[in-house]
Every structure is written in C-alpha cells, then in structure tokens.
Amino acid sequence: MLDADFFRRWMTAAAVAVDREADRLTALDSPIGDADHGTNMQRGFRAVVATLEKEAPDTPGAVLTLSGRQLISTVGGASGPLYGTLLRRTGKALGDAAEVSAAELAAALRTGVEAVATLGGAAPGDKTMLDALFPAVDALAESFAAARDAAEKGAVATTPLLARKGRASYLGERSIGHQDPGATSSALLFATLAEAAGE
Amino acid sequence: MSEETPVTEGTVSGSGPADGGQGDAGGQHKLVGVVLVSHSAAVAASVAELAAGLAGGGATAPVAAAGGTEDGGLGTSSELIAAAAAGVDRGAGVALLADLGSAVLTVKALLAEGDELPDGARLVDAPFVEGAVAAVVTASAGADLDAVEAAAVEAYTYRKV
C-alpha cells in the first residue's frame, strides 16, 4: 500500500529530477517552443516541495491535490495548468484514504491523464505530453518500472511526429525531428514514481 | 482604472439577476465584469484601456487586466487572474477573455478548481482585442453574462476583407 510518505517521496524525487534535467528540458524547448520549460518546471516543483514541507498533507490524495494546485499557481507556462490538472485530478480521484493500492493509483492517474487531454484538447500522436502519459498509465497495470519505460519510449517516439498543439504547431513540418519537451518531463515524472517505489 | 459601478447589494438576493435582464427601478443593476488575460502585462492593460475607451463616456463595466507573470515577465499568473476576477465581480458574473496557450489553459484549470474564481465566472471563446471591445461595450450597456458572451463570440464572424 502507498501512503502519504510515498507520494511526498515521489514529488521530492520529481523536483530533484527536474532540477537535474532543467537545462535539457529548456534545450528541447528551444527549437520548437519558447525555451522556458526547464525553468518553469523547476520553479513549479521547488514550490511543490516547499509547500509540502510547510503544510504536511497527510493523505495521498491531499499530497497530490496540493502539489497540483501549487503547479498551477507557480509554473507560469502551459505546463502549469496541464501538470497541475494531472496531479490535482489524480489526487481528487484518490479521495481521502490514508493508503491506496497501486491499482487504485493507476486508475486515479488515468483519470488525471484524461483530464489533461480534455483541458489541452490534444490526442495521442499530437506530439505532446500525452504521448508519454497514456502509454505510462497503460503499463502501470504491470509495474511502476514498466510505466517508467513506457513513458520514456513514448517521449522518444515523439521525435518524428508533427506537432499539432501549442506553440510548436505553428512550426508545422519544422517541428519534426525534435523530441517533445512536455513528453520528456512526463517521462521524468514516471521515472521518479518508479524511483519512489524502489523499482 | 475601472470606474465604480452602482451596486445594489442585497436587492436581488436569492433571485439572481433581474428577470428579463433589464428594467430594474432606476436602472440600478449589477454589471458583468470583464477580465483580460494575456501573456503580456502591456497587452492586457492596453486592450483593457482600449475597450473601456470605446465603451463610451458613461459608466463603463468593470474591466481588469491580468497580464504576464507576477514578476513582470511573459506568461500567465493564476494569482493575477484570480485577483482581477475578484476585483471586477459585482455579482452579475465575470467574462474572462484570454489570448493563447497557458492563458487559456490557466483560466480553464481555475474554473475546474471551483473555488478560485467568483461564481458566474466564465471563459469566453472570442478574439482577444475585438472580443474585449464587444464584451465591455455590451457589459457597459447593462447586458447579462450570456449577452456579453454572445457579443464577444460574435466578434469572430466579423471579416476584414
């Protein structure tokens, strides 16, 4: 079973990974975006860790809901409402249970990912974070490690795609050949989930 | 920057906006507020100024700009949006217009949250400048939120060539 400490570990590991990879995320965002994804995510997840320390939410749902809310208010770019919605909807779906099973988390994350798709109006194959998130939640039924690998594979597979959403879509054919920054940070999120689970 | 509008607190408590939308005694009814959300503080403020200016000399509907990030950079701030919406809320609803990307997504995420924007706050699907002018002119005439939204949306149909 996964308790609030597990989810705090996940968010903390995500903040560490985003810090470590911030330059890479921004570099990926330079040719097809506005070169701020790394710094935006860094600001957001640092704020998440700070607020989790300060407010000490004591259920899995509360940890994710608070984290999502914090991302919406601090990121400053489109990834704020998108990741914020992902975590908040996932947190709400978990309710106020003190512990949740991996299967419950998988179902809740699917709700969260579907909410991201609705908010952004994107579909798999549009070269967005969904191209990492949907394969990850599909693989979560198997294991956290499988979800991590599926997310990474999904992120890498965005490289040949034509962007159909967001600023990158203005570039048309020129968006081809670049890995999507949002799918890359989504893969980090699932890599750190597996890390928190010790896989 | 937004002129104070006559607010008749309590007169419509429990019944919502006046039935039929107009004709309250003395013309005292609550005006719809308009919030303009742009990636740029300068764009949001200028469009607000333009829309209020074109709304004419009388009392204009409350308009607020929520542009850029809190530190003055390009981007979107949920705090600035929430503060702007609270600032123009006179109890008749708030129409929010956004330019693109994170501005649109942040407003949608705040609406989904349920408690960060006033009751009756609504994202209006409209071109930013033309929609803002239409919304503020219509709101200043005392129209309800549906009519303000319809006027802003209709701005999409105005062709220039």
Side-chain angles (χ1 to χ4, degrees):
Chain A
M1 294 295 277
L2 312 168
D3 60 8
D5 274 340
F6 171 87
F7 287 90
R8 262 195 290 275
R9 280 205 307 280
W10 178 21
M11 291 297 106
T12 305
V16 170
V18 164
D19 262 341
R20 189 184 64 229
E21 302 287 335
D23 288 349
R24 179 172 162 243
L25 293 175
T26 291
L28 288 171
D29 195 33
S30 299
I32 59 172
D34 47 1
D36 62 2
H37 190 50
T39 43
N40 282 347
M41 292 291 282
Q42 212 169 13
R43 181 168 53 242
F45 273 94
R46 280 178 181 170
V48 164
V49 170
T51 201
L52 289 178
E53 278 172 14
K54 184 161 151 259
E55 301 199 19
D58 58 0
T59 65
V63 170
L64 293 186
T65 306
L66 181 64
S67 300
R69 199 176 177 131
Q70 195 65 14
L71 289 178
I72 291 172
S73 25
T74 56
V75 169
S79 46
L82 291 166
Y83 279 111
T85 293
L86 172 64
L87 296 184
R88 203 173 59 192
R89 288 298 178 87
T90 302
K92 281 186 179 168
L94 290 175
D96 52 11
E99 294 185 324
V100 300
S101 68
E104 285 166 336
L105 173 58
L109 272 169
R110 182 173 296 283
T111 305
V113 171
E114 281 164 0
V116 171
T118 303
L119 176 63
D126 284 348
K127 197 182 183 93
T128 70
M129 53 198 286
L130 296 178
D131 293 315
L133 293 176
F134 273 118
V137 291
D138 287 344
L140 206 49
E142 197 183 318
S143 67
F144 289 115
R148 171 196 63 208
D149 296 345
E152 177 61 26
K153 198 174 154 202
V156 170
T158 60
T159 303
L161 296 178
L162 176 75
R164 291 200 174 82
K165 284 286 163 188
R167 187 188 176 285
S169 65
Y170 301 150
L171 297 175
E173 301 277 326
R174 280 179 292 143
S175 67
I176 293 172
H178 302 281
Q179 183 169 322
D180 181 64
T184 308
S185 54
S186 291
L188 284 182
L189 198 61
F190 275 89
T192 52
L193 177 61
E195 190 184 322
E199 290 184 13
Chain B
M1 58 184 292
S2 60
E3 278 96 309
E4 256 320 302
T5 49
V7 178
T8 51
E9 299 291 354
T11 56
V12 292
S13 60
S15 65
D19 301 324
Q22 63 266 324
D24 313 57
Q28 300 270 301
H29 53 231
K30 298 177 177 183
L31 296 179
V32 171
V34 178
V35 173
L36 301 171
V37 186
S38 169
H39 278 59
S40 153
V43 169
S46 295
V47 173
E49 186 187 353
L50 172 66
L54 293 180
T60 59
V63 187
T69 58
E70 279 160 283
D71 58 9
L74 296 179
T76 309
S77 159
S78 64
E79 267 76 15
L80 291 179
I81 296 168
V88 299
D89 180 25
R90 302 288 183 272
V94 175
L96 295 105
L97 283 80
D99 59 1
L100 31 89
S102 62
V104 176
L105 294 177
T106 301
V107 172
K108 283 186 173 178
L110 290 176
L111 288 170
E113 176 85 357
D115 62 356
E116 295 191 348
L117 296 177
D119 286 346
R122 190 184 290 178
L123 175 63
V124 168
D125 182 12
F128 194 64
V129 177
E130 295 88 334
V133 172
V136 173
V137 169
T138 308
S140 299
D144 65 13
L145 183 57
D146 285 342
V148 170
E149 178 178 31
V153 170
E154 200 192 338
Y156 269 132
T157 65
Y158 171 69
R159 312 310 312 177
K160 294 169 190 174
V161 286

